[in-house]
Coordinates of all heavy atoms in Angstrom, one line a residue:
S145 N -160.8 -3.8 -39.7 CA -161.2 -3.7 -38.4 C -160.2 -4.5 -37.5 O -159.6 -5.5 -37.9 CB -162.6 -4.2 -38.2 OG -162.7 -5.6 -38.4
D146 N -160.1 -4.0 -36.2 CA -159.2 -4.6 -35.3 C -159.9 -5.0 -34.0 O -161.0 -5.6 -34.1 CB -158.0 -3.7 -35.0 CG -156.8 -4.4 -34.5 OD1 -156.8 -5.6 -34.2 OD2 -155.7 -3.7 -34.3
A147 N -159.4 -4.7 -32.9 CA -160.0 -5.1 -31.6 C -161.4 -4.6 -31.5 O -161.7 -3.5 -31.9 CB -159.1 -4.6 -30.5
Q148 N -162.2 -5.4 -30.8 CA -163.6 -5.0 -30.5 C -163.9 -5.1 -29.0 O -163.5 -6.0 -28.4 CB -164.6 -6.0 -31.3 CG -164.3 -6.0 -32.8 CD -165.3 -7.0 -33.5 OE1 -166.2 -7.5 -32.9 NE2 -164.9 -7.3 -34.7
R149 N -164.6 -4.1 -28.5 CA -165.0 -4.0 -27.1 C -166.5 -3.9 -27.0 O -167.1 -3.1 -27.7 CB -164.2 -2.9 -26.4 CG -162.7 -3.1 -26.4 CD -162.0 -1.8 -26.0 NE -162.2 -0.7 -26.9 CZ -161.6 -0.5 -28.1 NH1 -160.8 -1.5 -28.5 NH2 -161.9 0.5 -28.9
F150 N -167.0 -4.6 -26.0 CA -168.5 -4.6 -25.8 C -168.7 -3.7 -24.5 O -168.1 -3.9 -23.5 CB -169.0 -6.0 -25.5 CG -170.5 -6.0 -25.2 CD1 -171.4 -6.0 -26.2 CD2 -170.9 -6.0 -23.9 CE1 -172.8 -6.1 -25.9 CE2 -172.3 -6.0 -23.6 CZ -173.2 -6.0 -24.6
Y151 N -169.7 -2.8 -24.6 CA -170.1 -1.9 -23.5 C -171.6 -2.0 -23.3 O -172.4 -1.9 -24.2 CB -169.7 -0.5 -23.8 CG -168.2 -0.3 -24.0 CD1 -167.8 0.4 -25.2 CD2 -167.3 -0.7 -23.1 CE1 -166.4 0.6 -25.4 CE2 -165.9 -0.5 -23.3 CZ -165.5 0.2 -24.4 OH -164.2 0.4 -24.6
E152 N -172.0 -2.2 -22.0 CA -173.4 -2.1 -21.6 C -173.4 -1.8 -20.2 O -173.1 -2.6 -19.3 CB -174.1 -3.4 -21.9 CG -175.6 -3.4 -21.4 CD -176.4 -2.3 -22.0 OE1 -176.3 -2.0 -23.2 OE2 -177.1 -1.7 -21.2
G153 N -173.8 -0.5 -19.9 CA -173.9 -0.1 -18.5 C -172.5 -0.2 -17.9 O -171.5 0.2 -18.5
P154 N -172.3 -0.8 -16.7 CA -171.0 -1.0 -16.1 C -170.2 -2.1 -16.7 O -169.0 -2.3 -16.4 CB -171.4 -1.3 -14.6 CG -172.7 -2.0 -14.7 CD -173.4 -1.3 -15.8
V155 N -170.9 -2.9 -17.5 CA -170.2 -4.1 -18.1 C -169.3 -3.6 -19.3 O -169.8 -2.9 -20.2 CB -171.2 -5.1 -18.6 CG1 -170.5 -6.3 -19.3 CG2 -172.0 -5.6 -17.4
A156 N -168.1 -4.1 -19.3 CA -167.2 -3.8 -20.4 C -166.2 -4.9 -20.5 O -165.6 -5.4 -19.6 CB -166.4 -2.5 -20.2
F157 N -166.0 -5.4 -21.8 CA -165.0 -6.5 -22.0 C -164.6 -6.5 -23.4 O -165.3 -6.0 -24.3 CB -165.5 -7.8 -21.5 CG -166.7 -8.3 -22.3 CD1 -166.6 -9.0 -23.5 CD2 -168.0 -8.1 -21.7 CE1 -167.8 -9.4 -24.1 CE2 -169.1 -8.5 -22.4 CZ -169.0 -9.2 -23.6
R158 N -163.4 -7.0 -23.7 CA -162.9 -7.2 -25.0 C -163.6 -8.3 -25.6 O -163.6 -9.4 -25.1 CB -161.4 -7.4 -25.0 CG -160.8 -7.4 -26.4 CD -159.3 -7.5 -26.3 NE -158.6 -7.6 -27.6 CZ -157.7 -6.7 -28.0 NH1 -157.3 -5.8 -27.2 NH2 -157.1 -6.9 -29.2
F159 N -164.3 -8.1 -26.8 CA -165.1 -9.1 -27.4 C -164.3 -10.2 -28.0 O -163.4 -9.9 -28.8 CB -166.0 -8.5 -28.4 CG -167.2 -9.3 -28.8 CD1 -168.4 -9.2 -28.0 CD2 -167.2 -10.1 -29.9 CE1 -169.5 -10.0 -28.3 CE2 -168.3 -10.9 -30.2 CZ -169.4 -10.8 -29.4
P160 N -164.5 -11.4 -27.6 CA -163.6 -12.5 -28.2 C -163.8 -12.7 -29.7 O -165.0 -12.8 -30.1 CB -164.1 -13.7 -27.4 CG -165.4 -13.4 -26.9 CD -165.5 -11.9 -26.7
M161 N -162.7 -12.6 -30.4 CA -162.8 -12.7 -31.9 C -163.3 -14.1 -32.3 O -163.7 -14.3 -33.5 CB -161.5 -12.4 -32.5 CG -161.0 -11.0 -32.3 SD -162.3 -9.7 -32.7 CE -162.4 -10.0 -34.5
L162 N -163.3 -15.1 -31.4 CA -163.8 -16.4 -31.8 C -165.3 -16.3 -32.2 O -165.8 -17.1 -33.0 CB -163.7 -17.4 -30.6 CG -164.4 -18.7 -30.7 CD1 -163.7 -19.5 -31.8 CD2 -164.3 -19.5 -29.4
F163 N -166.0 -15.3 -31.6 CA -167.4 -15.2 -31.8 C -167.7 -14.0 -32.8 O -168.9 -13.6 -32.9 CB -168.2 -15.0 -30.5 CG -168.0 -16.1 -29.6 CD1 -167.2 -15.9 -28.4 CD2 -168.5 -17.4 -29.8 CE1 -167.0 -17.0 -27.5 CE2 -168.3 -18.4 -28.9 CZ -167.5 -18.2 -27.8
S164 N -166.7 -13.4 -33.4 CA -166.9 -12.3 -34.2 C -166.1 -12.4 -35.5 O -165.6 -13.5 -35.8 CB -166.6 -11.0 -33.5 OG -166.9 -9.8 -34.2
G165 N -166.0 -11.3 -36.2 CA -165.2 -11.4 -37.5 C -164.4 -10.1 -37.7 O -164.7 -9.1 -37.1
R166 N -163.5 -10.1 -38.5 CA -162.7 -9.0 -38.9 C -163.2 -8.5 -40.3 O -163.3 -9.3 -41.2 CB -161.2 -9.3 -38.9 CG -160.7 -9.6 -37.5 CD -159.2 -9.7 -37.5 NE -158.7 -10.1 -36.2 CZ -158.5 -9.3 -35.2 NH1 -158.7 -8.0 -35.3 NH2 -158.0 -9.8 -34.0
A167 N -163.4 -7.2 -40.4 CA -163.9 -6.7 -41.7 C -162.7 -6.1 -42.5 O -161.8 -5.5 -42.0 CB -164.9 -5.6 -41.4
E168 N -162.8 -6.3 -43.8 CA -161.8 -5.7 -44.8 C -162.7 -5.0 -45.8 O -163.5 -5.7 -46.6 CB -161.0 -6.8 -45.4 CG -160.0 -6.2 -46.4 CD -159.0 -7.3 -46.9 OE1 -158.6 -8.1 -46.1 OE2 -158.7 -7.2 -48.1
L169 N -162.5 -3.7 -45.9 CA -163.4 -2.9 -46.8 C -162.5 -2.2 -47.7 O -161.5 -1.5 -47.3 CB -164.2 -1.9 -46.0 CG -165.2 -1.0 -46.8 CD1 -166.5 -0.8 -46.1 CD2 -164.5 0.3 -47.1
H170 N -162.8 -2.2 -49.0 CA -162.1 -1.5 -50.1 C -163.1 -0.5 -50.7 O -164.2 -0.9 -51.0 CB -161.6 -2.4 -51.2 CG -160.6 -3.4 -50.7 ND1 -159.2 -3.2 -50.9 CD2 -160.7 -4.6 -50.1 CE1 -158.5 -4.2 -50.4 NE2 -159.4 -5.1 -49.9
E171 N -162.7 0.8 -50.8 CA -163.5 1.8 -51.4 C -162.7 2.6 -52.3 O -161.5 3.0 -52.0 CB -164.2 2.6 -50.3 CG -165.2 3.5 -50.9 CD -166.2 4.2 -49.9 OE1 -166.5 3.5 -48.9 OE2 -166.6 5.3 -50.1
S172 N -163.2 2.9 -53.5 CA -162.5 3.6 -54.5 C -163.4 4.5 -55.3 O -164.6 4.3 -55.2 CB -161.7 2.6 -55.4 OG -162.6 1.8 -56.1
Y173 N -162.8 5.3 -56.2 CA -163.7 6.1 -57.1 C -163.3 5.7 -58.5 O -162.1 5.7 -58.9 CB -163.5 7.6 -56.9 CG -164.4 8.4 -57.7 CD1 -165.8 8.6 -57.3 CD2 -164.1 9.0 -58.9 CE1 -166.7 9.3 -58.0 CE2 -165.0 9.8 -59.6 CZ -166.3 9.9 -59.2 OH -167.2 10.6 -59.9
D174 N -164.3 5.4 -59.3 CA -164.1 5.0 -60.7 C -164.4 6.3 -61.6 O -165.5 6.7 -61.8 CB -165.1 3.9 -61.1 CG -165.0 3.4 -62.5 OD1 -164.6 4.1 -63.4 OD2 -165.3 2.2 -62.7
D175 N -163.3 6.8 -62.2 CA -163.4 8.0 -63.0 C -164.3 7.8 -64.2 O -165.1 8.7 -64.6 CB -162.1 8.6 -63.4 CG -161.3 9.2 -62.2 OD1 -161.8 10.2 -61.7 OD2 -160.2 8.7 -61.8
A176 N -164.1 6.7 -64.8 CA -164.9 6.4 -66.1 C -166.4 6.3 -65.8 O -167.2 6.9 -66.6 CB -164.4 5.1 -66.7
A177 N -166.8 5.6 -64.8 CA -168.2 5.5 -64.5 C -168.7 6.6 -63.6 O -169.9 6.8 -63.5 CB -168.4 4.2 -63.7
Q178 N -167.8 7.4 -63.0 CA -168.2 8.5 -62.1 C -169.0 8.0 -61.0 O -170.0 8.5 -60.6 CB -168.9 9.6 -62.9 CG -168.0 10.3 -63.9 CD -168.6 11.6 -64.4 OE1 -169.8 11.8 -64.4 NE2 -167.8 12.4 -65.1
L179 N -168.5 6.8 -60.4 CA -169.2 6.2 -59.3 C -168.2 5.8 -58.3 O -167.0 5.5 -58.6 CB -170.0 5.0 -59.8 CG -171.2 5.2 -60.6 CD1 -171.7 3.8 -61.2 CD2 -172.3 5.8 -59.9
Y180 N -168.6 5.7 -57.0 CA -167.8 5.0 -56.0 C -168.0 3.5 -56.0 O -169.1 3.1 -56.2 CB -168.2 5.6 -54.6 CG -167.8 7.0 -54.4 CD1 -168.7 8.0 -54.7 CD2 -166.6 7.4 -53.8 CE1 -168.4 9.4 -54.5 CE2 -166.3 8.7 -53.6 CZ -167.1 9.7 -53.9 OH -166.8 11.0 -53.7
R181 N -166.9 2.8 -55.8 CA -167.0 1.3 -55.7 C -166.6 0.9 -54.3 O -165.7 1.4 -53.8 CB -166.1 0.7 -56.8 CG -166.5 1.0 -58.2 CD -165.8 0.1 -59.2 NE -166.2 0.5 -60.6 CZ -167.3 0.0 -61.2 NH1 -168.0 -0.9 -60.5 NH2 -167.6 0.3 -62.4
I182 N -167.4 -0.1 -53.8 CA -167.2 -0.6 -52.5 C -167.2 -2.1 -52.4 O -168.0 -2.7 -53.2 CB -168.2 0.0 -51.5 CG1 -167.9 -0.3 -50.0 CG2 -169.6 -0.4 -51.9 CD1 -168.7 0.5 -49.1
K183 N -166.4 -2.7 -51.6 CA -166.4 -4.1 -51.4 C -166.0 -4.4 -50.0 O -165.0 -3.9 -49.5 CB -165.4 -4.8 -52.4 CG -165.4 -6.4 -52.2 CD -164.5 -7.0 -53.2 CE -164.5 -8.5 -53.1 NZ -163.6 -9.2 -54.1
L184 N -166.8 -5.2 -49.3 CA -166.6 -5.6 -47.9 C -166.7 -7.1 -47.8 O -167.5 -7.7 -48.3 CB -167.7 -4.9 -47.0 CG -167.8 -5.4 -45.6 CD1 -166.6 -4.8 -44.8 CD2 -169.1 -5.1 -45.0
E185 N -165.8 -7.6 -46.9 CA -165.9 -9.0 -46.5 C -165.6 -9.1 -45.0 O -164.6 -8.4 -44.5 CB -164.9 -9.9 -47.2 CG -165.2 -10.2 -48.7 CD -164.4 -11.3 -49.3 OE1 -163.5 -11.8 -48.6 OE2 -164.8 -11.7 -50.4
V186 N -166.4 -9.8 -44.3 CA -166.2 -10.1 -42.9 C -165.9 -11.6 -42.7 O -166.7 -12.4 -43.2 CB -167.4 -9.7 -42.0 CG1 -167.2 -9.9 -40.5 CG2 -167.8 -8.2 -42.3
R187 N -164.7 -11.9 -42.1 CA -164.3 -13.2 -41.9 C -163.9 -13.5 -40.5 O -163.5 -12.6 -39.8 CB -163.1 -13.6 -42.8 CG -163.4 -13.5 -44.3 CD -162.2 -13.9 -45.2 NE -162.6 -14.0 -46.6 CZ -163.0 -15.0 -47.2 NH1 -163.1 -16.2 -46.5 NH2 -163.3 -15.1 -48.4
N188 N -164.2 -14.8 -40.1 CA -163.7 -15.2 -38.8 C -162.5 -16.1 -39.0 O -162.5 -16.9 -40.0 CB -164.8 -16.1 -38.2 CG -164.5 -16.6 -36.8 OD1 -163.8 -17.6 -36.7 ND2 -164.9 -16.0 -35.7
R189 N -161.5 -16.0 -38.1 CA -160.3 -16.7 -38.3 C -160.4 -18.2 -38.4 O -159.7 -18.9 -39.2 CB -159.3 -16.3 -37.2 CG -157.9 -17.0 -37.3 CD -157.1 -16.6 -36.1 NE -156.9 -15.2 -36.0 CZ -156.3 -14.6 -34.9 NH1 -155.8 -15.4 -34.0 NH2 -156.1 -13.3 -34.9
W190 N -161.4 -18.7 -37.7 CA -161.6 -20.2 -37.6 C -162.7 -20.7 -38.5 O -162.6 -21.7 -39.1 CB -161.9 -20.6 -36.2 CG -160.7 -20.4 -35.3 CD1 -159.7 -21.3 -35.1 CD2 -160.4 -19.3 -34.5 NE1 -158.7 -20.8 -34.2 CE2 -159.2 -19.6 -33.8 CE3 -161.0 -18.1 -34.3 CZ2 -158.6 -18.6 -33.0 CZ3 -160.4 -17.2 -33.4 CH2 -159.2 -17.4 -32.8
F191 N -163.8 -19.8 -38.7 CA -164.9 -20.3 -39.4 C -165.1 -19.7 -40.8 O -166.0 -20.1 -41.6 CB -166.2 -20.0 -38.6 CG -166.2 -20.6 -37.3 CD1 -166.1 -19.8 -36.1 CD2 -166.3 -22.0 -37.1 CE1 -166.1 -20.4 -34.9 CE2 -166.3 -22.5 -35.9 CZ -166.2 -21.7 -34.7
G192 N -164.2 -18.8 -41.2 CA -164.1 -18.4 -42.6 C -165.1 -17.2 -42.8 O -165.4 -16.4 -42.0
F193 N -165.6 -17.2 -44.1 CA -166.5 -16.1 -44.5 C -167.8 -16.0 -43.7 O -168.5 -17.0 -43.6 CB -166.7 -16.2 -46.0 CG -167.7 -15.2 -46.6 CD1 -167.2 -13.9 -46.9 CD2 -169.0 -15.5 -46.8 CE1 -168.0 -13.0 -47.4 CE2 -169.9 -14.5 -47.3 CZ -169.4 -13.3 -47.6
L194 N -168.1 -14.8 -43.3 CA -169.4 -14.6 -42.6 C -170.4 -13.7 -43.3 O -171.6 -14.0 -43.4 CB -169.1 -13.9 -41.2 CG -168.2 -14.7 -40.2 CD1 -168.0 -13.8 -39.0 CD2 -168.8 -16.0 -39.9
F195 N -169.9 -12.6 -43.9 CA -170.8 -11.7 -44.6 C -170.0 -10.8 -45.5 O -168.8 -10.5 -45.3 CB -171.5 -10.8 -43.5 CG -172.3 -9.7 -44.0 CD1 -173.6 -10.0 -44.6 CD2 -171.9 -8.4 -44.0 CE1 -174.3 -8.9 -45.1 CE2 -172.6 -7.3 -44.6 CZ -173.9 -7.6 -45.1
G196 N -170.6 -10.3 -46.6 CA -169.9 -9.4 -47.5 C -170.9 -8.8 -48.5 O -172.0 -9.3 -48.7
Y197 N -170.4 -7.8 -49.2 CA -171.2 -7.2 -50.3 C -170.2 -6.4 -51.2 O -169.1 -6.1 -50.8 CB -172.3 -6.3 -49.7 CG -171.9 -5.1 -48.8 CD1 -171.2 -4.0 -49.3 CD2 -172.2 -5.1 -47.5 CE1 -170.8 -3.0 -48.5 CE2 -171.8 -4.1 -46.6 CZ -171.1 -3.0 -47.1 OH -170.8 -2.0 -46.3
E198 N -170.7 -6.1 -52.3 CA -170.0 -5.2 -53.2 C -171.0 -4.5 -54.1 O -172.1 -5.0 -54.4 CB -169.0 -6.0 -54.1 CG -169.6 -7.1 -54.9 CD -168.5 -8.0 -55.6 OE1 -167.8 -7.4 -56.4 OE2 -168.4 -9.1 -55.2
G199 N -170.6 -3.2 -54.5 CA -171.6 -2.4 -55.3 C -171.0 -1.1 -55.6 O -169.8 -0.8 -55.5

Side-chain angles (χ1 to χ4, degrees):
S145 69
D146 198 354
Q148 302 178 14
R149 296 168 297 282
F150 178 86
Y151 299 126
E152 175 55 46
V155 177
F157 59 88
R158 189 175 177 122
F159 200 83
M161 297 308 295
L162 173 64
F163 303 109
S164 187
R166 295 188 185 276
E168 180 174 322
L169 181 145
H170 296 262
E171 190 165 324
S172 62
Y173 188 77
D174 185 328
D175 285 300
Q178 296 189 342
L179 292 170
Y180 292 88
R181 296 191 178 276
I182 188 169
K183 181 177 181 180
L184 170 78
E185 286 194 353
V186 180
R187 292 181 175 273
N188 180 279
R189 182 182 301 174
W190 293 273
F191 301 113
F193 177 80
L194 300 178
F195 174 76
Y197 58 71
E198 55 188 298

